[in-house]
Amino acid sequence: MKVMIVEDEILVRLGLRKAIPWSTLGMELVCEAQDGDEAYELFKLHLPDIVVVDIELPKMNGLQFIRYAKTQRPDSRFIVLTCHQDMKYMREAIQLQVNDFMLKSTLDMDELCGMLQSLSFDLTRERGETGTARLSGEAAESPIARETAERAYYALETAPIGPLREMLSEPEQQLRRDIFERLESLQFAVAKQKLGELREALTRPPLLHPHVVKNTMTEFLFRAWSACEALAAGKQAAHHRLVDRIYAAPSLDETVALLEEEMDRLEGLFALTHSGEDKAKIVLLIKQYIKTHLDREISLQDIASAFYINSSYLSRLFKEVSRTSFTEYVLYEKTELAIVMMKSGKTLTEISEKLGYLNLSSFTRMFKKVRGSSPSRYLDG
């Protein structure tokens, strides 16, 4: 999915660019614009799928830009950032069928990531369903045809399918989290084992709607590709056409088989050994793991267990390759994220909790030790 940011405040643009894990979401930030005129020209050039746009822009306001952009690509999605609660803007935005709103004064990156991912899944599903409708005609839209497809997806013949769920159960959510963890550390064998457990869980009634299953499998794909990204070294990790194949898969078994096949491919492509070149790859992978787990206390032993590496060996390896200790790197990355969150308007209390600190004083002491000054210096700037 291609994403565009339209925002005249440079700090907000920087915060969005750095704080959102674009590749993890299966997205590419293709361009940024600082005024309405530039936005329209870049939109025509890149035709992004999703646009995050401020209402108040120089030269052409955000809503005028959206109106013109929709003439170029009607199916693009728009998330509007605003400092205003003026009903005039809201009414016009609703008339333009804007997809979501977010106040800049309370900008929450997790919430924005959720919006982006939701729009991405909607677009992928909509485009897949449109293709199916074109191939199958009106029958694809009929309730009987839908129920027949849903029954076939779960290999049911004549048994009543019953109401379908739209959300994963808590045990399924836990398996989903476990698979994410394994994919992030490239533990593909364990990830496939957990995927098999999830497949078994999904066959127990009440059944999950196939489009939710496919959304979940696509999330796994994006997480695996993102984990491999830092190690690619010129190799192509992502095969985005596979997303289309997953959404077109007629059965749960085929959906799972496609994902397992991709895990096997990635495992072969990025198999790690203990050669000099792969030592650097291991450290890159660990750094990526750290960046995706900054919301918790990360210990060397936890990382060593996750990667099946002796902790003493890991400590020496990390220092040898990165020229800094494991602990120093973790704390520096926490302060980097803290600065981005400060610039996006988060309070120090919110930031300390987000980074896994029990109280503000512990976070402040750590920040001052790493950066040589208190966090308030960055907050004021």
Side-chain angles (χ1 to χ4, degrees):
M1 289 287 167
K2 297 187 293 184
V3 183
M4 175 182 187
I5 294 173
V6 185
E7 169 60 61
D8 61 320
E9 294 183 41
I10 188 170
L11 289 181
V12 177
R13 287 206 311 275
L14 178 63
L16 292 170
R17 185 196 313 155
K18 294 191 68 175
I20 294 175
W22 300 105
S23 58
T24 300
L25 296 175
M27 297 177 182
E28 178 188 4
L29 181 59
V30 292
C31 59
E32 301 174 26
Q34 59 185 351
D35 62 60
D37 286 352
E38 181 185 27
Y40 184 50
E41 293 305 316
L42 288 174
F43 185 91
K44 289 190 293 183
L45 179 64
H46 294 281
L47 295 177
D49 300 285
I50 302 172
V51 182
V52 181
V53 54
D54 190 7
I55 281 186
E56 285 293 325
L57 292 170
K59 299 184 180 179
M60 180 196 304
N61 73 39
L63 297 182
Q64 290 173 313
F65 157 71
I66 292 171
R67 183 175 291 105
Y68 289 131
K70 279 178 171 284
T71 66
Q72 300 295 315
R73 186 170 187 181
D75 69 335
S76 287
R77 302 303 203 253
F78 297 87
I79 298 173
V80 168
L81 304 178
T82 179
C83 295
H84 302 277
Q85 299 188 48
D86 188 327
M87 287 307 296
K88 177 187 70 174
Y89 283 119
M90 293 304 109
R91 280 197 298 270
E92 189 175 350
I94 291 167
Q95 288 168 358
L96 285 169
Q97 297 182 315
V98 164
N99 301 94
D100 228 320
F101 301 89
M102 178 167 282
L103 285 173
K104 288 168 67 175
S105 57
T106 56
L107 192 59
D108 185 301
M109 292 300 175
D110 288 340
E111 184 181 355
L112 182 54
C113 286
M115 289 180 184
L116 288 165
Q117 195 162 48
S118 176
L119 292 179
S120 174
F121 288 155
D122 285 347
L123 272 170
T124 304
R125 185 168 67 248
E126 180 183 294
R127 290 167 184 172
E129 288 172 353
T130 301
T132 302
R134 280 199 302 267
L135 290 172
S136 305
E138 293 301 318
E141 297 298 322
S142 72
I144 294 174
R146 284 199 299 271
E147 185 177 346
T148 300
E150 289 159 0
R151 185 181 289 115
Y153 188 76
Y154 283 104
L156 297 173
E157 293 187 7
T158 58
I161 198 165
L164 296 175
R165 291 182 289 129
E166 291 287 339
M167 293 186 64
L168 297 170
S169 66
E170 181 49 44
E172 291 164 350
Q173 288 280 12
Q174 184 56 56
L175 282 168
R176 174 177 171 270
R177 290 190 288 267
D178 290 344
I179 294 169
F180 279 168
E181 293 265 349
R182 300 306 181 180
L183 291 175
E184 284 170 354
S185 54
L186 298 193
Q187 297 175 40
F188 292 112
V190 184
K192 284 194 293 183
Q193 177 190 329
K194 295 288 183 182
L195 181 62
E197 294 175 25
L198 179 59
R199 184 209 165 281
E200 288 300 314
L202 292 174
T203 59
R204 301 184 196 115
L207 298 172
L208 193 62
H209 196 292
H211 81 246
V212 181
V213 177
K214 292 174 182 182
N215 285 352
T216 303
M217 298 300 168
T218 304
E219 284 186 293
F220 294 150
L221 272 184
F222 290 150
R223 194 63 62 103
W225 289 336
S226 176
C228 291
E229 192 174 72
L231 308 180
K235 301 172 184 174
Q236 179 64 39
H239 282 182
H240 288 290
R241 288 185 178 177
L242 184 56
V243 174
D244 297 330
R245 293 179 63 196
I246 281 182
Y247 276 98
S251 69
L252 174 62
D253 285 344
E254 185 170 334
T255 305
V256 172
L258 285 168
L259 184 57
E260 288 178 333
E261 184 181 322
E262 180 66 358
M263 288 186 194
D264 288 339
R265 185 186 74 86
L266 292 172
E267 186 172 32
L269 194 59
F270 298 99
L272 299 176
T273 68
H274 292 286
S275 67
E277 179 184 354
D278 281 343
K279 285 181 179 179
K281 288 183 179 180
I282 291 170
V283 172
L284 273 174
L285 182 58
I286 290 170
K287 286 181 176 180
Q288 188 160 330
Y289 182 94
I290 290 168
K291 288 180 180 181
T292 58
H293 293 80
L294 290 172
D295 59 339
R296 64 186 74 173
E297 185 178 342
I298 307 171
S299 72
L300 183 66
Q301 186 58 54
D302 290 339
I303 297 285
S305 298
F307 287 86
Y308 302 106
I309 298 174
N310 177 275
S311 58
S312 298
Y313 170 75
L314 176 59
S315 178
R316 293 194 303 272
L317 176 64
F318 197 93
K319 187 71 178 282
E320 174 190 334
V321 173
S322 64
R323 307 298 181 188
T324 186
S325 74
F326 175 84
T327 301
E328 288 169 343
Y329 181 81
V330 171
L331 295 181
Y332 184 82
E333 287 300 318
K334 281 182 178 281
T335 60
E336 277 283 279
L337 181 56
I339 291 169
V340 171
M341 287 193 286
M342 279 185 269
K343 293 186 183 301
S344 71
K346 294 283 189 184
T347 68
L348 292 181
T349 300
E350 289 173 323
I351 293 169
S352 65
E353 290 175 354
K354 186 73 175 173
L355 294 179
Y357 286 87
L358 295 176
N359 54 65
L360 180 57
S361 60
S362 298
F363 165 72
T364 304
R365 282 197 302 273
M366 178 279 292
F367 193 99
K368 192 169 184 178
K369 180 179 178 181
V370 173
R371 295 285 175 162
S373 61
S374 68
S376 59
R377 172 191 165 194
Y378 295 85
L379 200 61
D380 296 338

